[in-house]
Structures are given as C-alpha cells and as structure tokens.
Amino acid sequence: MYNQSQQPGQHGLINGGTNHRFMQMNAPHKYPQHQSHQQHPSQQTLHQQNHGGLHAHGNLSHQHTFSSGMISTSTPNFTPNGLHNGAPDEDHEDTGEPMTEHWQFQVQRAADSRQSASVSHRHSRKEGVTRVSRGSLVATMEESQKDGDLLERHRATSVLDHQRQDWDGLDLSGQGIRNVSAALFDHYAFLDKLYIDGNKLECLPPAIGQLRNLSLLEASNNDLRELPEAIGMLVNLKELYVFDNSISTLPYEVGYLYKLFMLGIEGNPLDEELKEIVMRYGTKALVVHLRDTMEGTENPPATDSKSLAGHPPREREMVVPDTSEASEKFSVLDFNILGEYCATTALYGYTPSQALSWEYRRDLILEEIKKRDADIVCLQEVNMESYNEFFRRELAFQFYKGAFWPRSRARTMAEKEARLVDGCATFYKVQKYIMLDKQVIDFANAAINRPDMKGEHDIFNRVMPRDHIAVVTFFENRVTGSRMIVVNTHIYWDPAFTDVKLVQVAILMEQVTKLADRWATFPPCTDKQVFRHTEQDNEMGPDIPEELQLEYGPSLEYSTGSQIPLVVCGDFNSEQHTGVYNLLNCGALSGDHPDLDQRGYGNLTRDGMAHPFTLKSAYTDQMAFTNYTPGYTAIVDYIWHSSNSLKVKRLLGDVDKSHLQKIPGFPNFYFPSDHLPLFVEFSVEPRKERPKAVEADFGSQRHR
C-alpha cells in the first residue's frame, strides 16, 4: 500500500494497466499460472453490447470485470447444461420459449466465469505482491496504520467517504481460501471491488457488510450455501456474481441493493420463483420483489425468520442530565418528517414501497407525536394539504393548535399547486400556552431588501432562488405568565452552498433579534381562559381538567428581547464544524469565514455576523446522527436554547445500534423519515431580578 510517487519500485500492488487499480494477494495454491489469452472478437462484441458502458465509472473501465485470460479461444471444457453444483441450466429451451435478453446475458457471464475458474489471480496478475498464508487473510499492523492515516474524518459528505487510494480493488481469486478473516473488513472499507471467486468458501462472514463502498463483488465458483443478511448493507453494489454455488434462496435484504443491475445466480439450485423473476424480468425486478415482500409491522415475521426487516428496534431511552426539581418545565419535539412528495423510490430505492407510502408514514409520525406528548411540536417538510387535512385535524384531538407557512414559492402558484408546497408547522398545547403572535421570515425576501445588499450579485444568483423560511411564534404560559420565543426553520440542503446556508441563518437571527426586541414591550395578557362554557354547561357541572382549574398568574415583563427565553428548532443541514453551527453557538462569526467562499454579502461579509442570544445545543454527544441514509449520515438537526434562562432536564437518546447493523438507511417500517425526531424537556430558570437601590437613612440632621 504505497503511493507510486513515493515508492516507484513497489508497483506490485497496482495493476499494470492505467485503468486498473488492484491489490493482488498471493497464497500457496495448487493451480498453475496459465498464460493470458486474447478475447474472441464475437465474445467481446457480445460483452460490450450487453454492458452498454455501465462499467465505466471512476478511473476504471468495464475491462475490470475479467482479465484478458478470462475467455479463451480454445474449446470450452464445459457445456451450458452441465453445471458443477448439481443445478442444471433450466432455460427457456425446455419450454419452447426464447431466452430473454436478461437471461442471455446471465448465461454468457456464467460461461465467461467458468472458462477461467481455475486461473489464479485472473483479475490482476502481478509480481511483488503482498503474500499471506492460505486459509485466511491477515492484515499487518503497518498496512492497517497506513490505511488509517488515509481516512478523511472531517468532510461534510458521507461517513463512508475516504481519500483516494492508489488501489481500490482486491483480487483473492483461485487461492483455495476456505475463510476470510475480519481484518479484510476492518481495514479495507475503501474497497470498490472484491474478487473472491474460485475458492472454497462455504459462507460469507456478516462483517462483509462493512464494505459499504463496494460496487462489485465476485464470489462465483465457491461452495456458498447462502448469502448473509448483511449483504443488504452494500447499497453501492452494482454487480454481484455468485455463479456456480449452492445457494437455494436469497435473503430479503438483497432488496436493499437498489443500485444493483447485475445479479449472477446461474448455476445455483435457486428457488424457482426467484429464478423465474430473474429469467423473465432481470435483476432489478428481483430486487424490487425482495424489497417489497419484506415483512413489516403489520405482518411480523415468523419466529424462524432471518430477516430483521420485521423486528422492531428497542425504544429510544431518555437521557436525564439534570435531576433537580424545577418549578416550571416544558417539552419540545423537533422532526423533519420527510415530505409527502419528497419520498420517492428514486431517492429511497432501499425502502419497501409500503414503508415509503405517505399513508403509512403519516400514521407513524402521528403516533410519534402522541407518544412524546410535547408541549411544543416543530415539524419541517409539511405541505399545506397535509397540514390542513391531516395534522391540524388529528392533533386537535390532543389539544394542539398550530401555525403554518409554506415556502415562499407558494405565493406565485395557483391554489391547487400551492397546496403541495412544503413548509414549517409549529403546534402547541392550547391548555398550557397562549400564542401571542406569529411571524414568518422569508430569507430570500429579507436578503434582497437589505440596503447593503444592493449590487451584490451573489445575493441574486445564490440566495434569492432558495425559498426557505422560518416560522417564529411568541408564547405565554397561562399559569406562570412566563413567555418564550420558538423558531422553526428549514435551511437549504446543498453542501456546495455553504455560503447560502450561512446567510440564511445570519438573516434568521437578525430578524429574530428584531422580533424579540419588539415583543419585549408586548402588553400583558389579560384573558387566559382556555374554554368558555355556556350557562347550561355550568349548571351541569362539566368535568374541567385539573390544569384548567389553576389560577392564572400575571404576565412577566422583560426589559430586552435577549431576556426572553428562546428555542430555535429545525433542520439546519449543517454539521458541527460549519459556520452555521459556530454562529449559533458562539454568537458571532467573522465575515471572512471559509464557508462564505470569499463572496460578497454586504455588511454580513464586511462587518461579520452576530446575535445577542446565549444559545446552546440541547444535544451534545447523545446522538451519533440525526439523518441516516446510505449516502449521508450526520447530525444536521438541532434544538438550540437560551442557556441563561433554560436548562435541559431530559432528552430522547440514540437509536438502537443493533437495529442499524442490517438497516442501510431510513425510512423503513419503524422510522417514517430519513431524519430522527428530537425531544427535549426544559426547565425555566427563575429570573434573577436586580435588587432595588435603597436610600440610606441617616436620621434627622442637626444644625450646628
């Protein structure tokens, strides 16, 4: 594992061709080293026609699928009907039906594989390679250290993202290997291609699920009896070859492999139903079939089922950082629910259709809201139709009222189309709080109307086209009279627009500061009754909840806006190392921050950005992520709070780790969104009033 520029003599790890990057592992074996043969023109043409260029990705061409010695011009020593695992080729010739294009390609690839099955290292054959003993793969400590040094730990893209390797393919073919040690999976997660065909493997270890960058796995000509359920974690897999094994069925987790376009299963005693799907409709159809036949919550699997799809995860536990008593508490739930029209199979191809349907997901979302029973609920990606016809109606039965605004594009659309535009919805327990005011912040509109932004081209080219908003609500506790501001927002997602995210948050805090200063002079609330009963109701003596029988205290007064308790919730699409996080956490950020990319945004870049609130994230290290998909896993959702007036009492903890071992991403049957809901219970700290100055009494003065 050396860089070529540093160690020119150690070329054995790199395939000689410019389009190949393989590491070859030698083990003592009994197979002779055959000379390479030229590919037959007719076979080469068929191969190219069927592939259609699909192998040309990264720095590798389609030639990596097999070496030049894979297809020989000599007469084959096999016939298509004679397979060495006791599984005859049951093609359509027996029924008189012509073979489909899918199955023709399948048979051709199986034939290619068998012709060179006995050739050792047929995918990359070079001298001077790392040598290991037969039967296991051992990674030396030096190799592990070098691989570890290449990991990129701070990029805001994907937890699976690694620096470029000088090789990303590993060839262990034809070595007579009987098992593969965990070292391969622990230290080579960057692998893009793995060749373990032509060995004596009876099973693939579950740890193979750690190789989540794999796009090709060749495991043909072994003694495999089944595929592990962890195979479903290889969501980047495009080619999976298991020709000529003893596999009779496939795990449901193969349904997670939504990028898979070639599953080579010829030469296996495969279940007739599954084989028929491949023969008639191809790999994609089989993947969809397995995905959509996963057993969900409504149909729990049998006790002997090996699929985790129907096994519910353990409940997320509550974390209690503070056990002290509090005179006033309230709770907040924040949840990006994954909008109804955002959840498409193109984006979430690993999710079963039933679990992706809006009717199924909205019921889970509603169940989550009811279970947490928070005083304040902040939802993102709620469209107007869902708000009016589902959430507002259903949550009214739980004594919630709400405030909703769609994204600004809805203003320019007809009513029918505007109903489908998503936005932010804030709900509150009406028996506990009075909503004194509500406002919407349109980031783009606020930005272009700033006098200092005139002539700034980046505002019009980058910020103005993004129609994100924030809903700001002002509440008063009916009993204690304390007030608070709740912000619910959704920030732009694209990692290439860090400057836009930062400008949106800077404008958000600027507008919240203005609203807070205005609300600091808001008059006292004089009418705090939740319900008014008629005289007939009073004569009948209706049952009134205990909390409604309490005496309502006077409204508290605040001298400045920054004294009002503030909660800022939302999907910020920004990780903890970004300028967005630093601005909220530190209260100020310089105008030359790298996230601004040296662009001009008026006073925000000339003077920097700041806000007067002492904000702190309620979640520190309790969560490993808030967004979980195969391509991106990170913390991007936050609940910020005024640390001078609010204290965290309880919060909802992390997800069951065992559930994640075979689930490549959300949503699924138990998590209705690709984001996790956040729940925090706060206590309102008693206000520290400054003592009034008392004039000293020196008694009566005497005239001298």
Side-chain angles (χ1 to χ4, degrees), residues 566-597:
L566 173 65
V567 177
V568 183
C569 302
D571 175 7
F572 291 84
N573 279 307
S574 303
E575 298 183 39
Q576 296 177 341
H577 62 270
T578 61
V580 167
Y581 186 94
N582 291 332
L583 174 58
L584 291 168
N585 188 58
C586 302
L589 198 71
S590 65
D592 59 352
H593 192 276
D595 282 1
L596 291 170
D597 198 21

Coordinates of all heavy atoms in Angstrom, one line a residue, residues 566-597:
L566 N -35.5 31.6 24.5 CA -35.6 31.4 23.1 C -35.3 29.9 22.8 O -34.3 29.4 23.3 CB -34.6 32.3 22.4 CG -34.4 32.0 20.9 CD1 -35.7 32.3 20.1 CD2 -33.2 32.9 20.3
V567 N -36.1 29.3 21.9 CA -35.8 27.9 21.5 C -35.8 28.0 19.9 O -36.7 28.5 19.3 CB -36.9 26.9 21.9 CG1 -36.6 25.6 21.3 CG2 -36.9 26.9 23.5
V568 N -34.7 27.5 19.3 CA -34.6 27.5 17.9 C -34.5 26.1 17.4 O -33.5 25.4 17.7 CB -33.3 28.3 17.4 CG1 -33.2 28.3 15.9 CG2 -33.4 29.7 18.0
C569 N -35.5 25.6 16.7 CA -35.5 24.2 16.2 C -35.4 24.1 14.7 O -35.8 25.1 14.0 CB -36.8 23.5 16.6 SG -37.2 23.5 18.4
G570 N -35.0 23.0 14.2 CA -35.1 22.8 12.8 C -34.0 21.9 12.2 O -33.1 21.4 12.8
D571 N -34.2 21.8 10.9 CA -33.2 21.0 10.1 C -32.3 22.1 9.4 O -32.6 22.8 8.5 CB -33.9 20.2 9.0 CG -33.0 19.5 8.0 OD1 -31.7 19.6 8.3 OD2 -33.4 19.0 7.0
F572 N -31.0 22.2 10.0 CA -30.1 23.2 9.5 C -29.2 22.7 8.4 O -28.4 23.5 7.9 CB -29.3 23.7 10.7 CG -30.1 24.5 11.7 CD1 -30.8 23.9 12.7 CD2 -30.1 25.9 11.6 CE1 -31.6 24.6 13.6 CE2 -30.9 26.6 12.5 CZ -31.6 26.0 13.5
N573 N -29.3 21.4 8.1 CA -28.4 20.8 7.0 C -27.0 21.2 7.2 O -26.3 21.5 6.2 CB -28.9 21.2 5.7 CG -30.1 20.3 5.2 OD1 -30.0 19.1 5.2 ND2 -31.2 21.0 4.9
S574 N -26.5 21.3 8.4 CA -25.1 21.8 8.7 C -24.6 21.0 9.9 O -25.3 20.8 10.9 CB -25.1 23.3 9.0 OG -25.6 24.0 8.0
E575 N -23.4 20.5 9.7 CA -22.7 19.7 10.8 C -22.0 20.6 11.8 O -22.0 21.9 11.7 CB -21.8 18.7 10.2 CG -22.5 17.7 9.3 CD -21.5 16.6 8.8 OE1 -20.6 16.2 9.5 OE2 -21.6 16.3 7.6
Q576 N -21.4 20.0 12.8 CA -20.9 20.8 13.9 C -19.7 21.6 13.7 O -19.2 22.4 14.5 CB -20.7 19.9 15.1 CG -22.0 19.2 15.6 CD -21.8 18.3 16.8 OE1 -20.7 17.8 16.9 NE2 -22.9 18.0 17.5
H577 N -19.0 21.3 12.5 CA -17.8 22.1 12.2 C -18.1 23.2 11.3 O -17.1 23.9 10.8 CB -16.8 21.1 11.5 CG -17.3 20.5 10.2 ND1 -18.0 19.4 10.2 CD2 -17.2 21.0 9.0 CE1 -18.3 19.1 8.9 NE2 -17.9 20.1 8.2
T578 N -19.3 23.5 10.9 CA -19.6 24.5 9.9 C -19.8 25.9 10.5 O -19.9 26.1 11.7 CB -20.9 24.1 9.2 OG1 -22.0 24.1 10.2 CG2 -20.8 22.8 8.5
G579 N -19.8 26.9 9.7 CA -20.1 28.2 10.1 C -21.4 28.4 10.7 O -21.6 29.3 11.6
V580 N -22.4 27.7 10.2 CA -23.8 27.8 10.7 C -23.8 27.5 12.2 O -24.4 28.2 13.1 CB -24.8 26.9 9.9 CG1 -26.1 26.8 10.7 CG2 -25.0 27.5 8.5
Y581 N -23.2 26.3 12.5 CA -23.1 25.9 13.9 C -22.3 26.9 14.8 O -22.8 27.2 15.9 CB -22.4 24.5 14.0 CG -22.5 23.9 15.4 CD1 -23.5 23.0 15.7 CD2 -21.5 24.2 16.3 CE1 -23.5 22.4 17.0 CE2 -21.5 23.6 17.6 CZ -22.5 22.7 17.9 OH -22.5 22.2 19.2
N582 N -21.2 27.4 14.3 CA -20.4 28.3 15.1 C -21.1 29.6 15.3 O -21.0 30.2 16.4 CB -19.1 28.5 14.3 CG -18.2 27.3 14.3 OD1 -18.3 26.5 15.2 ND2 -17.3 27.2 13.3
L583 N -21.9 30.1 14.3 CA -22.6 31.4 14.5 C -23.6 31.2 15.6 O -23.8 32.1 16.5 CB -23.2 31.8 13.2 CG -24.2 33.0 13.2 CD1 -23.4 34.2 13.8 CD2 -24.8 33.3 11.9
L584 N -24.4 30.1 15.6 CA -25.4 29.9 16.6 C -24.8 29.7 17.9 O -25.3 30.2 19.0 CB -26.3 28.8 16.2 CG -27.2 29.0 15.0 CD1 -27.8 27.7 14.5 CD2 -28.3 30.0 15.3
N585 N -23.8 28.9 18.0 CA -23.2 28.5 19.3 C -22.4 29.7 19.9 O -22.4 29.8 21.1 CB -22.3 27.3 19.0 CG -21.8 26.7 20.3 OD1 -22.6 26.3 21.2 ND2 -20.5 26.6 20.5
C586 N -21.6 30.4 19.1 CA -20.7 31.4 19.7 C -21.3 32.8 19.7 O -20.8 33.7 20.3 CB -19.4 31.4 18.9 SG -18.6 29.8 18.9
G587 N -22.3 33.0 18.9 CA -23.0 34.4 18.8 C -22.4 35.3 17.9 O -22.9 36.4 17.7
A588 N -21.3 35.0 17.2 CA -20.6 35.9 16.3 C -19.8 35.0 15.3 O -19.3 33.9 15.6 CB -19.7 36.9 17.0
L589 N -19.5 35.6 14.1 CA -18.7 34.9 13.1 C -18.1 36.0 12.2 O -18.8 37.0 11.8 CB -19.6 34.0 12.3 CG -18.8 32.9 11.5 CD1 -18.2 31.9 12.4 CD2 -19.7 32.2 10.5
S590 N -16.9 35.9 11.9 CA -16.2 36.9 11.0 C -16.7 36.8 9.6 O -17.2 35.7 9.1 CB -14.7 36.7 11.1 OG -14.4 35.4 10.5
G591 N -16.6 37.9 8.9 CA -17.1 38.0 7.5 C -16.2 37.3 6.5 O -16.6 37.1 5.3
D592 N -15.0 36.8 6.9 CA -14.2 36.1 6.0 C -14.1 34.6 6.3 O -13.2 33.9 6.0 CB -12.7 36.6 6.1 CG -12.1 36.6 7.5 OD1 -12.9 36.2 8.4 OD2 -10.9 36.9 7.6
H593 N -15.2 34.1 7.0 CA -15.2 32.6 7.3 C -15.2 31.8 6.0 O -15.7 32.2 4.9 CB -16.5 32.3 8.0 CG -16.6 30.9 8.6 ND1 -16.9 29.8 7.9 CD2 -16.2 30.5 9.8 CE1 -16.8 28.7 8.6 NE2 -16.4 29.1 9.8
P594 N -14.4 30.7 6.0 CA -14.3 29.9 4.7 C -15.6 29.5 4.1 O -15.7 29.3 2.9 CB -13.5 28.7 5.2 CG -12.7 29.2 6.4 CD -13.6 30.2 7.1
D595 N -16.7 29.3 4.9 CA -17.9 28.9 4.3 C -18.5 29.9 3.4 O -19.4 29.6 2.6 CB -18.9 28.6 5.5 CG -18.7 27.2 6.1 OD1 -17.7 26.5 5.7 OD2 -19.4 26.8 7.0
L596 N -18.1 31.2 3.6 CA -18.6 32.2 2.7 C -18.0 32.2 1.3 O -18.4 32.9 0.4 CB -18.5 33.6 3.4 CG -19.4 33.8 4.6 CD1 -18.9 35.1 5.3 CD2 -20.8 33.9 4.2
D597 N -16.9 31.5 1.2 CA -16.2 31.3 -0.1 C -15.8 32.6 -0.7 O -15.9 32.8 -1.9 CB -17.1 30.5 -1.0 CG -16.3 29.9 -2.1 OD1 -15.1 29.7 -2.0 OD2 -16.9 29.6 -3.2

